[in-house]
Amino acid sequence: MSMQRISMKNIKVKNFDKIIYLHLMKCAGSDLVNQLFTSHLGKYFFPSSLRSSLLYLSQQDLSDYRFYYEHELTANEIAHIQGDKFLFTFFRNPIERVISLYQWIDNYKLQLDGANSTIAIPVGIPIQRLTPREFFESEYAAGDGFSNYMLKSLFGSVSNKKTQNLDLMFERVIRFLDEEIDFIGTVDNYIDSIEALSRLLDVYFVRQDVRQKINVTKDLGGENSYQKQKKERDMCKEAGLYEKISTLNSHDIELYKQAVKIAEKRFGIAHKRKVFGLFTQGEKINGFYHTYAKGGGWLLFGPYEKLDAGKYEVVFTLRANAVANTGDIGDSVVFLDVVADVAGSKGVVLGCMDVKVKDIRDDFNVITLPFDLSLPALNVEYRVYSTGCVGLDAVMSVDVNYKN
């Protein structure tokens, strides 16, 4: 396959014999599979109940199935699935993935047959008995789900070799991503990823801003049927926890960095994330949030999300819709900032900017605000405060780009 950047808009849909999703845990798989299940591919899903028998089924038996999506499919299982194969996977920031897995297991319950009571799954017992720091310093965190899981899972899908050498695994997986896999998506840029995948597979995906959140898992074939939500633990307060998780996942972190570069080089998936769910004190007019001249107030705020440590920039898109009472060209039109709860401190200002009359036009203005996070943060808000100097429109989402 050529290593040139591909224009996804020009890719012609191909009718692949077999579609194999290398499903990494807590990488938006439930959302993705649910949407594919409701498409024309739904009737061709390989049943999870037959997974243990996959290697023993004849090609005649497998001829009825086109879509395979199990966790940790082995190289032998993939080789046994004959035909023109389309392989793809989705990556997620390893730290976010590990924390999401931890929170999910902490909340997961099994319902006892014929009873109204529930019990924790076995792997959830140490999570519920230990603090987050105690758990990640224990032997339990050395399990594959919490320690370089993405690397180990993908290596098992591309190689039959038995090794504990993470460097050898890394070399083989990078070669697979760079030369062999048919598509790489990212949770960070989920919208562009699923739009590109939809063109490849000729499947319609409902946009993220008009459907359930990625991690709100639906009941699919018995999967996650008894998940019971409760208040998530605030893992950002425990000193040294982020560093401990990073150490446990050092190879996954490097794999992720390389994967997002390959996704952009081969498939045009930029390393950014479009954030929806923002609020306004203004009005919604013609698909934009709007504040009037002399009105003022919060044009954008929210969405109170979690964000990993790193260097970022948030991109706001604004325009002046009515110049009135502008005063001097040096007057302030809007104040932009990013605030979050960090290490127990609420409303910490991570970055801010004052935009003047002379800097904003009646066409759309793309304004970039950089900010840094030394620790993971909760309740992150991307805010635009209108002074009322001019009327303003704002696109109802922002782009959050990763800089490190």
Side-chain angles (χ1 to χ4, degrees):
M1 180 176 288
S2 171
M3 290 296 99
Q4 296 179 349
R5 175 173 169 151
I6 296 173
S7 174
M8 300 304 296
K9 293 181 179 179
N10 297 326
I11 286 185
K12 186 177 180 180
V13 173
K14 183 178 180 181
N15 189 25
F16 299 97
D17 295 332
K18 306 293 183 182
I19 300 167
I20 301 175
Y21 172 28
L22 304 179
H23 185 182
L24 300 174
M25 287 192 297
K26 307 311 296 177
C27 291
S30 294
D31 176 84
L32 187 62
V33 169
N34 269 286
Q35 294 214 61
L36 288 168
F37 188 73
T38 60
S39 75
H40 65 86
L41 293 173
K43 60 183 178 182
Y44 300 112
F45 268 44
F46 181 77
S48 296
S49 59
L50 295 181
R51 169 67 186 278
S52 60
S53 305
L54 176 56
L55 285 173
Y56 308 101
L57 296 175
S58 69
Q59 296 307 309
Q60 180 63 36
D61 293 330
L62 294 178
S63 63
D64 292 333
Y65 308 114
R66 289 184 57 206
F67 188 84
Y68 301 76
Y69 70 98
E70 299 295 329
H71 291 302
E72 299 161 26
L73 281 168
T74 67
N76 283 335
E77 288 174 323
I78 294 173
H80 186 66
I81 303 169
Q82 296 181 8
D84 186 9
K85 286 176 277 197
F86 177 90
L87 275 68
F88 74 98
T89 194
F90 271 64
F91 280 91
R92 185 179 184 180
N93 182 304
I95 309 302
E96 293 180 358
R97 192 202 70 80
V98 167
I99 292 176
S100 177
L101 177 64
Y102 177 94
Q103 301 281 16
W104 182 83
I105 293 176
D106 191 27
N107 284 285
Y108 195 94
K109 304 291 183 182
L110 293 175
Q111 187 172 11
L112 299 176
D113 289 339
N116 293 325
S117 59
T118 59
I119 60 172
I121 56 176
V123 70
I125 294 174
I127 286 180
Q128 294 173 8
R129 290 181 176 176
L130 301 174
T131 66
R133 182 177 177 83
E134 289 171 342
F135 175 82
F136 283 103
E137 289 180 342
S138 73
E139 61 183 6
Y140 300 110
D144 288 346
F146 294 100
S147 177
N148 295 309
Y149 162 79
M150 293 192 295
L151 175 64
K152 296 173 184 176
S153 178
L154 289 175
F155 180 76
S157 296
V158 300
S159 175
N160 293 316
K161 292 182 179 179
K162 302 297 182 183
T163 180
Q164 298 298 316
N165 189 318
L166 295 176
D167 292 334
L168 289 178
M169 292 184 191
F170 185 88
E171 180 182 354
R172 178 63 186 97
V173 171
I174 288 296
R175 188 165 73 251
F176 171 67
L177 299 178
D178 209 19
E179 302 174 2
E180 302 168 29
I181 198 169
D182 295 290
F183 181 73
I184 300 170
T186 68
V187 176
D188 300 318
N189 192 355
Y190 194 60
I191 288 180
D192 286 356
S193 295
I194 64 172
E195 288 182 352
L197 185 63
S198 72
R199 287 190 286 272
L200 286 168
L201 301 181
D202 193 22
V203 172
Y204 173 74
F205 288 93
V206 181
R207 286 185 59 87
Q208 183 185 352
D209 53 327
V210 294
R211 68 172 192 271
Q212 283 189 303
K213 293 182 180 179
I214 295 172
N215 282 333
V216 178
T217 306
K218 299 178 183 177
D219 181 6
L220 178 68
E223 181 184 12
N224 307 331
S225 299
Y226 302 116
Q227 186 175 3
K228 182 180 179 182
Q229 295 293 338
K230 66 180 183 181
K231 185 177 180 181
E232 293 183 346
R233 304 191 194 200
D234 184 356
M235 301 177 70
C236 300
K237 293 183 179 180
E238 298 209 27
L241 180 60
Y242 172 77
E243 289 78 5
K244 181 62 180 177
I245 297 174
S246 299
T247 300
L248 284 169
N249 292 275
S250 58
H251 281 74
D252 260 11
I253 290 172
E254 188 57 35
L255 176 64
Y256 174 72
K257 291 178 181 179
Q258 296 301 317
V260 295
K261 291 178 181 178
I262 295 171
E264 181 163 15
K265 178 180 69 173
R266 290 188 59 191
F267 309 112
I269 308 299
H271 192 34
K272 65 180 181 180
R273 183 167 56 91
K274 189 170 290 293
V275 177
F276 295 95
L278 283 82
F279 306 95
T280 187
Q281 290 181 334
E283 299 180 6
K284 183 177 179 181
I285 299 177
N286 296 326
F288 301 101
Y289 285 150
H290 173 86
T291 56
Y292 293 96
K294 301 183 181 180
W298 291 106
L299 180 58
L300 287 178
F301 63 97
Y304 307 100
E305 67 173 355
K306 293 183 290 186
L307 201 60
D308 190 23
K311 296 180 182 295
Y312 298 89
E313 62 182 22
V314 56
V315 180
F316 301 93
T317 306
L318 311 171
R319 71 177 174 188
N321 57 55
V323 178
N325 192 29
T326 57
D328 188 79
I329 60 173
D331 287 351
S332 296
V333 177
V334 291
F335 298 105
L336 311 176
D337 66 10
V338 179
V339 297
D341 299 345
V342 183
S345 299
K346 295 186 179 297
V348 177
V349 178
L350 306 174
C352 58
M353 180 184 296
D354 181 4
V355 180
K356 307 294 186 181
V357 170
K358 63 182 178 64
D359 298 321
I360 197 160
R361 308 179 306 276
D362 58 1
D363 196 3
F364 278 109
N365 304 263
V366 176
I367 305 172
T368 301
L369 173 62
F371 66 98
D372 295 352
L373 267 174
S374 58
L375 292 170
L378 299 174
N379 296 320
V380 180
E381 286 190 79
Y382 312 104
R383 306 193 302 186
V384 177
Y385 184 81
S386 170
T387 65
C389 183
V390 299
L392 287 172
D393 289 328
V395 172
M396 296 185 295
S397 62
V398 296
D399 289 338
V400 178
N401 301 328
Y402 299 79
K403 302 302 294 181
N404 47 335

